[in-house]
Amino acid sequence: MGRLYFLPTTLKARLALAGTLTIIYIVASTLYIRYGSSAFPLLQTKADDTQHVLLPTQNATTNGKAAPSTPEQPRILLVSAFFPLPTSKISQADYDMWLRNYLQSVTTDVYLYTTPEQAARVQAFRDGSLNLTVDANFTSIFDIPPLKGKEDAYTKIRKKDRERPRHSIESYAVLNAKPYFLHSAVTNLAARGVNYDYAFWNDATSFHKEHHYRKWPSPSRVDQIWDEGSKLSGTKKEDLLFVPMWAMPHNTMAFWQESMGPIDSKFSEGFFFGGSPTAIDWWARTFYTYHDNYLSLEIFIGKDQSLINALFLLFPSRFITVWYNDPEALTHIALNRTNPEESFLGQCYSEWFYYQFWLADAQTQDAMREQWIRSAQKWRLWGWWNPRDTTRCQDTRVLSMTEVLKRRLGEAWRPPGRHVNVPQSIKWTISQ
């Protein structure tokens, strides 16, 4: 390699050049971190330069606010709870940020359970013009009817938790209270003459970042998903329950039986689930019947997702799902990924929370795509050399749980026999 004649020849001049380049580097880094690519117009990427698959427009919004519902659109309720654990390592500042991202941004009606001590704090995050019901009837998570008096039983099964140091019996109860909270909110409001077509459990702290979700989930999108899910599963819309999934179960689950208990694997996601009031009633009855059965046998049931996994196999026709990492999804195949390290569906921020994007209307999805791409394009002082995904986040299809399980366990697979009797109705009494 020949000599580089454009470089200074003296040591003093070279040190001056190095110092100048360092200052330029620091200034440029600071500007990019603070303002993103807008600080350098020539570095900005046009929307047309990113790979994408065109999606149909639905439920359009105007000026960032969702268009008002039409009489044909279903009414949707979100149900959440906030019972912070005394052993939690999450700071109050983080809790406040996540609650604010949820309650100040999402305009859908919300029914939220919390303790009397937390009620005013939670209420303060919601704009007075938005519908929020705060239910502070329970001072402890073990006060809810299906879990009342079960502290000793939970203490016994805790010995069987492979992650015991990380979990308390209260953490088990918070997870297992979700079906009751969802069912109770729907029935409480119905008793007041307030009825909804769909209701969904949504973890109150699931919105970790600022977002564009307003009228979420999109009513028209939900109707579309349930219509398609009913065709795929052969189950009536009102009997379908939606639960997102993370990954396929192990193929040895082809031999799983009801008596073996909950399935401890990353199959289902418990952050969000729901359906019609009819489906929610079935879900509460079924969940707690199996919960109590396994608990009576001192089988570990401290993780709701493990019990959900078991119910997937026992009642597959009842469930529809979405799977971010579906290798057979047409939108994934269209991306023609060649590097196994690349994401399945593009820049979608978080695979765990993909369902948030998936349940939004088309215009909101576009707004989130742009937000994630801008974030990915920001220059980073550390890690700037790593490749970043600027492929627009793709939509994907709804799946029936029967299809998912047969794809993994074989076309000849059939649900195992059921011997636990689920009652036709259930009525809980709140102790005063």
Side-chain angles (χ1 to χ4, degrees):
M1 181 176 178
R3 182 179 178 184
L4 302 177
Y5 291 100
F6 57 83
L7 292 176
T9 56
T10 66
L11 177 61
K12 184 175 181 180
R14 288 177 179 176
L15 289 175
L17 176 61
T20 301
L21 292 175
T22 300
I23 292 172
I24 293 173
Y25 175 85
I26 293 172
V27 171
S29 301
T30 303
L31 287 172
Y32 208 105
I33 291 173
R34 175 64 180 85
Y35 299 105
S37 60
S38 60
F40 307 96
L42 292 178
L43 298 180
Q44 293 183 0
T45 304
K46 296 179 181 179
D48 291 341
D49 294 335
T50 57
Q51 187 177 8
H52 65 280
V53 176
L54 294 179
L55 302 173
T57 302
Q58 51 185 321
N59 198 32
T61 62
T62 307
N63 298 327
K65 295 183 179 180
S69 296
T70 65
E72 294 77 23
Q73 287 187 325
R75 293 194 67 189
I76 293 177
L77 174 70
L78 294 175
V79 181
S80 305
F82 183 61
F83 285 78
L85 299 171
T87 57
S88 175
K89 296 182 180 179
I90 299 173
S91 69
Q92 180 169 321
D94 282 341
Y95 274 134
D96 286 352
M97 177 177 64
W98 298 340
L99 288 169
R100 187 179 300 110
N101 289 342
Y102 175 30
L103 297 175
Q104 285 190 0
S105 299
V106 177
T107 62
T108 305
D109 292 356
V110 175
Y111 193 111
L112 192 145
Y113 290 87
T114 191
T115 63
E117 295 77 18
Q118 297 289 340
R121 174 186 175 191
V122 168
Q123 186 77 52
F125 290 115
R126 189 72 162 174
D127 186 285
S129 64
L130 300 177
N131 195 335
L132 170 66
T133 301
V134 176
D135 191 324
N137 282 311
F138 306 109
T139 58
S140 162
I141 195 65
F142 279 106
D143 285 342
I144 72 168
L147 302 184
K148 195 167 184 65
K150 291 185 168 62
E151 292 92 334
D152 289 344
Y154 270 37
T155 300
K156 286 182 180 179
I157 63 166
R158 184 171 180 266
K159 299 173 184 177
K160 301 178 181 180
D161 185 359
R162 61 184 176 85
E163 298 177 307
R164 183 169 62 253
R166 297 174 51 192
H167 300 143
S168 65
I169 64 170
E170 289 78 16
S171 68
Y172 304 152
V174 166
L175 296 175
N176 287 331
K178 297 175 184 180
Y180 168 77
F181 283 143
L182 179 59
H183 179 268
S184 181
V186 170
T187 55
N188 287 347
L189 291 174
R192 303 177 200 169
V194 182
N195 296 290
Y196 291 86
D197 300 291
Y198 297 94
F200 298 96
W201 169 267
N202 179 64
D203 276 13
T205 57
S206 58
F207 289 99
H208 289 187
K209 302 288 186 181
E210 292 184 0
H211 56 81
H212 296 277
Y213 304 120
R214 298 297 179 263
K215 192 164 188 171
W216 179 91
S218 161
S220 59
R221 174 73 163 169
V222 168
D223 249 356
Q224 176 192 8
I225 290 168
W226 259 252
D227 282 340
E228 183 64 23
S230 180
K231 293 175 184 176
L232 290 172
S233 64
T235 301
K236 293 185 293 184
K237 288 176 61 175
E238 60 267 30
D239 291 333
L240 287 174
L241 197 82
F242 170 76
V243 184
M245 63 176 284
W246 172 254
M248 287 276 200
H250 195 272
N251 55 16
T252 56
M253 290 300 100
F255 306 103
W256 180 88
Q257 296 295 318
E258 180 186 64
S259 59
M260 295 178 181
I263 300 168
D264 189 9
S265 68
K266 291 183 177 179
F267 183 9
S268 64
E269 293 186 25
F271 304 123
F272 183 94
F273 56 82
S276 73
T278 300
I280 291 166
D281 177 72
W282 171 84
W283 178 236
R285 288 185 285 111
T286 305
F287 184 93
Y288 290 111
T289 298
Y290 277 88
H291 170 278
D292 291 351
N293 176 70
Y294 291 137
L295 186 61
S296 70
L297 300 172
E298 296 188 13
I299 296 174
F300 181 70
I301 45 83
K303 301 176 185 176
D304 63 328
Q305 289 169 255
S306 298
L307 184 49
I308 293 171
N309 295 342
L311 297 177
F312 275 176
L313 269 71
L314 288 168
F315 304 92
S317 64
R318 283 275 191 168
F319 296 95
I320 54 175
T321 189
V322 63
W323 183 20
Y324 176 88
N325 290 306
D326 181 2
E328 296 183 13
L330 295 180
T331 45
H332 165 69
I333 294 171
L335 293 179
N336 194 29
R337 298 300 210 192
T338 57
N339 184 348
E341 297 298 318
E342 291 182 305
S343 63
F344 257 63
L345 294 175
Q347 182 55 253
C348 299
Y349 164 58
S350 169
E351 297 176 21
W352 279 108
F353 298 113
Y354 174 76
Y355 64 86
Q356 294 176 347
F357 168 85
W358 190 70
L359 290 167
D361 63 75
Q363 187 167 331
T364 302
Q365 287 183 345
D366 280 340
M368 293 307 303
R369 290 182 178 108
E370 296 304 320
Q371 176 177 314
W372 293 330
I373 290 174
R374 286 195 302 270
S375 178
Q377 289 172 340
K378 283 187 176 181
W379 192 85
R380 293 170 176 80
L381 187 60
W382 181 258
W384 57 267
W385 54 86
N386 291 327
R388 59 202 68 182
D389 193 348
T390 56
T391 303
R392 289 164 63 84
C393 184
Q394 303 302 305
D395 199 350
T396 191
R397 58 183 176 166
V398 62
L399 296 169
S400 72
M401 188 52 59
T402 300
E403 174 193 349
V404 169
L405 291 171
K406 286 192 172 186
R407 197 197 308 180
R408 181 61 166 174
L409 307 180
E411 279 297 321
W413 177 84
R414 295 293 182 271
R418 301 193 297 262
H419 306 285
V420 175
N421 181 41
V422 177
Q424 292 299 310
S425 64
I426 191 166
K427 187 175 182 179
W428 286 295
T429 302
I430 300 176
S431 301
Q432 299 298 326

